[in-house]
Structures are given as structure tokens and as C-alpha cells.
């Protein structure tokens, strides 16, 4: 049974001409990593905020553990959330931030183990506002994992991290997945999504354009070859928008 479901969900913000999310449906199961991929404005964050209870759908339903998500939803204790902006108080230490969040739960789970596995041991005495962007992101993820959430929601969890740190974070998330946690993450990096996702959701301008396993998505994209483009001039952008190669393009690239 899915841990979370989006059922024909749409969202229009006040005064907006277009829908931020347009009739989107998908689900996340226990022990599964689902990654949403899409450019800025595609609806990734809005989908995450709706299951977090931070946004209300204009139409459709968002379900968490078979219960409709809302302001009085009992399922809010079942989720852990890392958003792009953490909003933590600045003049506290990392240790104090962790203790404050742990106090919100009757059973916060293996907090010390989370801290060690995500590599925060040496940062516990640091002030939150002195952390680099990478360490701040690790702290945000650690806080989201406290309370043994059934669903972990991560909005671009590796943004701004170096390749080694990215690999360490994803390895940590894979371990959580193996323990049965459902994970919904977003990224701009399709290569990263290919490496770590069980299921991919591709959004564009609020619409779901592709869904499936990594292999399914690559097959739907067509062909056995991949072209990596460094830089995007007008010609390349137009070619991508057309979704087909000109007839003069060689078969092998």
C-alpha cells in the first residue's frame, strides 16, 4: 500500500494565470526512492509542500498513510521534511537544534546514529549560522530524519554539495530506504536521479510528462545513445524543444 498518494492534484496560486501543478497523480511506497525531476517552475516543490501540509490542493487529493492530508491530519508525525530554506534560529548550536527537534517526538529514534551516519559529529558545537552550505544541508536532512518518519521529503537535498558529499548523502538515504522508509526527493540533476532513484517523475510546467523506473524513462526517451551538451545556445534549445534530431544527424553520436 502506498505511503503517500497524489490523486489528480492541481494547484493554482492566487493571481496566477497558469496552474503550478496540473492534474498530477503518482505514489510513493515504503522502501522506495521516488525522485521528481524538472526545471524551476515545474511544480516539484509545490507537490512536496502539499503532502507536507504546507499547501492545499486547488483540486484533487493528497493522501498520507490512507488519510487525507490537512491541517488536522494525524499523519503529520509520520513525515520528515527538508525544504530548501530551513528557517532555523541562527544563534544556537548544532547540538541544540538536534535536541530541540528530538524533543518534539515521543520516540525520536536513533538520533546519535543519524548524526554519525550523516557526518555531523565534528560540527555539534558549531553555531548554526556559521555552517557552510554543505554542512547546513546535512543538518537539515538529519533533522528531517528524527522521529523515524514513514515518509521523508527532501527538496533538492544535494544542492550545493560537492560530489563526495552528494555520494555520502545518497548512500545514507539508500540505507534508510533499505530500512523501509519511503523517500520523495527532487533534483535538477538527471544523472543523479538515474543513479539513485527507484522511480522517476518528470514534471514540466506543472504537468507530469514521464513516469517510471530509470530504465523505463530512458527507453521512452528513445535510442541507446546519449548526447551531453555543454552550454545551451539558441540552436540547442530549439533542438531540445522539438524532441527530435534533424535528419542530417548521424546515427551514432
Amino acid at each position: 500500500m502506498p505511503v503517500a498518494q497524489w490523486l489528480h492534484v492541481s494547484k493554482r496560486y492566487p493571481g496566477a494565470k497558469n496552474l503550478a501543478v496540473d492534474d498530477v497523480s503518482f505514489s510513493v511506497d515504503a522502501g522506495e526512492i521516488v525522485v521528481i525531476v524538472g526545471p524551476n517552475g515545474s511544480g516539484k516543490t509545490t507537490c512536496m509542500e502539499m503532502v507536507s501540509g504546507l499547501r492545499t490542493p486547488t483540486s484533487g487529493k493528497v493522501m498520507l498513510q490512507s488519510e487525507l492530508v490537512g491541517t488536522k491530519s494525524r499523519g503529520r508525525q509520520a513525515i520528515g521534511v527538508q525544504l530548501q530554506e530551513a528557517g532555523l534560529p541562527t544563534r544556537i548550536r548544532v547540538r541544540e537544534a538536534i535536541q530541540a527537534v528530538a524533543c518534539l517526538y515521543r520516540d525520536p529514534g536513533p538520533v546519535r546514529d543519524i548524526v554519525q551516519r550523516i557526518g555531523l559529529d565534528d560540527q555539534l558545537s558549531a553555531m548554526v549560522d556559521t555552517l557552510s552550505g554543505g554542512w547546513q544541508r546535512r543538518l537539515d536532512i538529519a533533522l528531517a530524519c528524527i522521529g523515524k518518519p514513514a515518509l521523508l521529503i527532501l527538496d533538492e537535498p544535494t544542492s550545493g554539495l560537492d560530489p563526495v558529499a552528494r555520494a555520502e548523502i545518497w548512500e545514507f538515504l539508500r540505507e534508510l530506504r533499505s530500512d523501509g522508509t519511503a523517500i520523495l526527493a527532487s533534483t535538477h540533476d538527471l544523472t543523479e536521479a538515474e543513479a539513485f532513484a527507484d522511480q522517476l517523475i518528470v514534471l514540466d510546467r506543472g504537468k507530469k510528462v514521464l513516469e517510471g523506473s530509470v530504465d523505463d524513462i530512458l527507453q521512452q526517451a528513445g535510442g541507446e545513445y546519449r548526447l551531453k551538451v555543454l552550454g545551451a545556445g539558441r540552436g540547442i534549445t530549439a533542438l531540445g524543444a522539438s524532441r527530435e534530431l534533424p535528419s542530417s544527424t548521424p546515427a551514432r553520436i
Side-chain angles (χ1 to χ4, degrees):
M1 181 178 294
V3 175
Q5 294 174 284
W6 290 251
L7 304 174
H8 299 287
V9 173
S10 294
K11 176 65 178 180
R12 186 189 301 275
Y13 290 106
K17 180 179 179 181
N18 299 318
L19 291 167
V21 175
D22 188 354
D23 192 26
V24 169
S25 297
F26 66 95
S27 62
V28 186
D29 293 338
E32 179 180 52
I33 296 177
V34 175
V35 178
I36 305 178
V37 181
N40 289 332
S42 62
K44 304 188 302 297
T45 297
T46 299
C47 285
M48 293 182 161
E49 289 179 340
M50 286 191 287
V51 76
S52 306
L54 300 175
R55 304 283 182 188
T56 302
T58 303
S59 62
K61 297 179 180 180
V62 181
M63 310 294 293
L64 179 61
Q65 294 185 323
S66 301
E67 180 181 313
L68 187 66
V69 173
T71 56
K72 297 182 179 180
S73 174
R74 292 173 296 176
R76 293 174 70 179
Q77 287 283 318
I79 63 174
V81 183
Q82 169 262 312
L83 298 176
Q84 293 186 46
E85 298 294 333
L88 286 172
T90 56
R91 300 309 300 168
I92 62 172
R93 300 187 186 279
V94 170
R95 178 184 290 106
E96 294 168 338
I98 293 170
Q99 291 172 342
V101 172
C103 287
L104 299 175
Y105 298 91
R106 181 175 299 175
D107 181 7
V111 177
R112 183 180 296 275
D113 182 56
I114 291 170
V115 170
Q116 291 177 342
R117 288 162 67 186
I118 212 163
L120 281 170
D121 303 73
D122 295 336
Q123 304 296 324
L124 291 175
S125 297
M127 305 300 289
V128 168
D129 58 339
T130 66
L131 294 176
S132 67
W135 287 114
Q136 179 69 65
R137 190 52 53 95
R138 288 178 188 249
L139 174 59
D140 294 342
I141 295 171
L143 296 178
C145 293
I146 293 175
K148 301 187 296 187
L151 174 65
L152 189 58
I153 303 165
L154 307 171
D155 196 359
E156 299 187 27
T158 59
S159 176
L161 299 182
D162 61 71
V164 173
R166 287 188 177 203
E168 291 174 350
I169 291 297
W170 278 110
E171 182 58 33
F172 171 68
L173 297 178
R174 277 175 150 174
E175 292 172 2
L176 293 180
R177 185 266 310 272
S178 297
D179 293 337
T181 303
I183 298 174
L184 176 66
S186 67
T187 182
H188 291 288
D189 190 335
L190 186 56
T191 300
E192 184 176 68
E194 285 182 35
F196 300 106
D198 297 310
Q199 296 288 322
L200 286 177
I201 308 291
V202 181
L203 298 181
D204 184 26
R205 299 179 185 179
K207 291 182 177 290
K208 183 180 71 175
V209 295
L210 290 172
E211 178 181 9
S213 68
V214 172
D215 288 341
D216 289 340
I217 296 296
L218 293 178
Q219 288 176 5
Q220 290 179 58
E224 59 180 300
Y225 305 105
R226 300 188 210 177
L227 174 66
K228 184 174 182 179
V229 179
L230 302 177
R234 292 183 179 180
I236 293 297
T237 303
L239 179 61
S242 71
R243 298 191 177 183
E244 61 182 19
L245 292 173
S247 58
S248 59
T249 302
R252 289 183 176 270
I253 299 176

